[in-house]
Amino acid sequence: MNLLRLPFLVKLTLVVISIIGLGYLLALGQSILAPFFLAFLMAMLFLPIATFMEKRLRFTRSLSTIASVLMMLMILTGLIYFFGSQLSDFSKDIPHLRGQFTSVFNDLQRWVSKTFHVKIDEQLTYLDQGLDKLLSSTGVILGFTFGVFSTGLGFIVFFILFFIFILNYRRILNNFIVTVFNEKHRTSVQEIVNEVRIMTKKYIFGLCLQVIIVSVLTSTVLTILGVKYAILLGILTGLLNVIPYLGICISLLISCFIAFATTAPSTCIYVAIGYIAIHVVDGNIILPFVVGSKVKINALFSFVGIILGEHLWGIAGMFLCIPAIAIIKIIFERVDGLKPWGKLLGEEEKPHKKKKSYKISKNITLNEMD
């Protein structure tokens, strides 16, 4: 049966049913697919290390996998210890933050009362209710962000197991993907698999490097401004920056909240200016140079991906959707029938400027100097 000869409505119906079925399976298999995809991304990041140990240090496949797992666990343990100690210190300062907020809001209430003739008693009632809710939820927000990639012990266990299996059996998985297609397409499929693997590895490495650079820049700016917990907020901003546009806004609100509570209220303005400057540098310099323009996703589909990721897999889906769309874009751009979809996901290509030319006598052409 030739699918190309089917009527348009029939093909559209099949596509819609396939998308709905795929979305249902993704939502149904969240507890398995989310740690599997995260393990795949981490395996691509540690693949050069495992390959180096096998080729240069003569490690066996199992030994290189175990060494990679231990390195990853050391990094994760360090991050958990850092966030845990910082959040513990932050929880001790909540009474002080509440007192400082109350003092600032009292001054603000008196100004509002004199300027707009609003009774202070009414302001106190609304502000005390909002302040209690805000301060009681601050620890929950930071703790929730800290556990963004882990929804429980089962997630962590599955993630580690999948990481081990993907690294240890990567050759079997590669051979399966190649041999599952028709023999006449195996060469092209192998080329696509190799290109996707290389580009994915570069993208994940670039994404991690982007997180580090943004974290360092943010921590430096907040330290100069005298904001408390500058390193914690910087690392949090770097991690949330994986979520395009939305992540930087969330981290800005959290940083302004801490700056308002620990420093002068006017510092919030400088914090906002600093975050805008970091976002401009990240979008125009860091992202194209480090991550690469070939896998850059446009804002429209980044936002759609974030919404779909949150709907399917929650907060973890918001983080994982961007690498997933980038990998899909890489695959689409290397399959002839799907290249238009790959271009749809990417940024608009800037037209190349053509040099003007002038014809003079004897058919000699001179290019215009820039």
Side-chain angles (χ1 to χ4, degrees):
M1 183 178 180
N2 193 348
L3 296 177
L4 297 177
R5 297 180 180 179
L6 292 176
F8 172 75
L9 290 178
V10 175
K11 291 191 289 185
L12 179 62
T13 303
L14 292 175
V15 171
V16 172
I17 294 175
S18 300
I19 293 175
I20 294 174
L22 181 61
Y24 177 75
L25 292 176
L26 289 175
L28 189 65
Q30 174 185 355
S31 59
I32 301 297
L33 295 178
F36 176 83
F37 185 64
L38 180 59
F40 169 76
L41 296 178
M42 294 301 295
M44 291 297 101
L45 185 62
F46 279 84
L47 182 59
I49 300 175
T51 304
F52 173 80
M53 287 186 290
E54 293 172 11
K55 292 184 176 181
R56 299 293 184 180
L57 304 180
R58 302 298 180 182
F59 282 15
T60 62
R61 178 65 58 84
S62 301
L63 189 59
S64 66
T65 301
I66 294 174
S68 300
V69 172
L70 292 177
M71 292 176 60
M72 182 189 66
L73 290 178
M74 289 176 60
I75 296 173
L76 293 179
T77 303
L79 290 175
I80 292 173
Y81 175 78
F82 170 77
F83 276 102
S85 61
Q86 291 291 315
L87 290 174
S88 177
D89 294 339
F90 178 77
S91 63
K92 295 177 182 178
D93 288 341
I94 287 182
H96 171 71
L97 297 178
R98 179 169 183 171
Q100 189 163 345
F101 258 108
T102 303
S103 176
V104 173
F105 275 127
N106 286 336
D107 295 337
L108 182 62
Q109 288 166 7
R110 286 191 289 269
W111 178 80
V112 171
S113 178
K114 292 180 181 179
T115 306
F116 300 100
H117 305 289
V118 180
K119 295 181 180 180
I120 296 180
D121 295 337
E122 296 178 358
Q123 297 179 38
L124 286 173
T125 302
Y126 292 114
L127 291 175
D128 285 341
Q129 292 176 357
L131 187 61
D132 290 337
K133 292 180 180 179
L134 184 62
L135 290 175
S136 62
S137 62
T138 302
V140 177
I141 292 173
L142 293 178
F144 189 63
T145 306
F146 168 68
V148 68
F149 277 121
S150 58
T151 57
L153 182 61
F155 185 100
I156 299 175
V157 172
F158 280 131
F159 164 69
I160 296 175
L161 290 176
F162 283 137
F163 180 81
I164 295 173
F165 293 148
I166 291 173
L167 272 184
N168 200 44
Y169 298 108
R170 58 183 183 269
R171 187 171 300 169
I172 295 177
L173 296 174
N174 180 79
N175 292 336
F176 168 76
I177 295 174
V178 175
T179 56
V180 76
F181 290 92
N182 194 298
E183 187 174 356
K184 65 180 181 179
H185 300 302
R186 287 182 183 178
T187 303
S188 59
V189 171
Q190 183 63 62
E191 292 176 356
I192 293 174
V193 170
N194 291 335
E195 290 182 5
V196 169
R197 178 176 57 81
I198 294 172
M199 292 296 295
T200 303
K201 181 178 63 177
K202 290 182 178 179
Y203 174 76
I204 300 302
F205 178 77
L207 202 63
C208 293
L209 193 58
Q210 181 195 13
V211 169
I212 295 173
I213 294 174
V214 172
S215 299
V216 171
L217 289 176
T218 307
S219 301
T220 303
V221 171
L222 295 179
T223 301
I224 294 173
L225 295 176
V227 179
K228 202 172 183 180
Y229 310 108
I231 298 178
L232 173 64
L233 294 174
I235 295 178
L236 190 63
T237 301
L239 293 174
L240 289 175
N241 193 57
V242 176
I243 306 175
Y245 307 103
L246 185 61
I248 195 73
C249 294
I250 295 174
S251 57
L252 172 61
L253 292 176
I254 296 175
S255 298
C256 286
F257 171 77
I258 302 299
F260 185 77
T262 58
T263 59
S266 59
T267 308
C268 296
I269 300 175
Y270 299 110
V271 170
I273 295 174
Y275 266 78
I276 293 173
I278 291 172
H279 180 64
V280 171
V281 172
D282 175 53
N284 295 279
I285 299 177
I286 300 176
L287 188 62
F289 180 75
V290 176
V291 178
S293 58
K294 292 184 178 180
V295 290
K296 191 175 180 181
I297 306 165
N298 62 59
L300 173 62
F301 286 94
S302 297
F303 186 71
V304 172
I306 291 170
I307 296 175
L308 292 178
E310 194 280 332
H311 181 72
L312 292 175
W313 290 353
I315 298 297
M318 297 176 69
F319 279 84
L320 296 175
C321 69
I322 301 303
I325 296 176
I327 293 173
I328 292 173
K329 180 177 179 291
I330 293 171
I331 297 174
F332 283 179
E333 288 179 341
R334 281 152 182 79
V335 178
D336 292 335
L338 300 176
K339 284 183 179 180
W341 295 95
K343 292 183 179 180
L344 181 64
L345 296 175
E347 291 282 357
E348 182 179 2
E349 295 181 358
K350 296 181 180 180
H352 297 286
K353 293 182 178 180
K354 294 183 179 180
K355 296 182 179 181
K356 296 180 180 180
S357 59
Y358 301 93
K359 291 184 178 180
I360 59 176
S361 59
K362 297 183 181 178
N363 297 327
I364 300 176
T365 303
L366 296 177
N367 290 331
E368 183 187 19
M369 300 295 292
D370 292 334

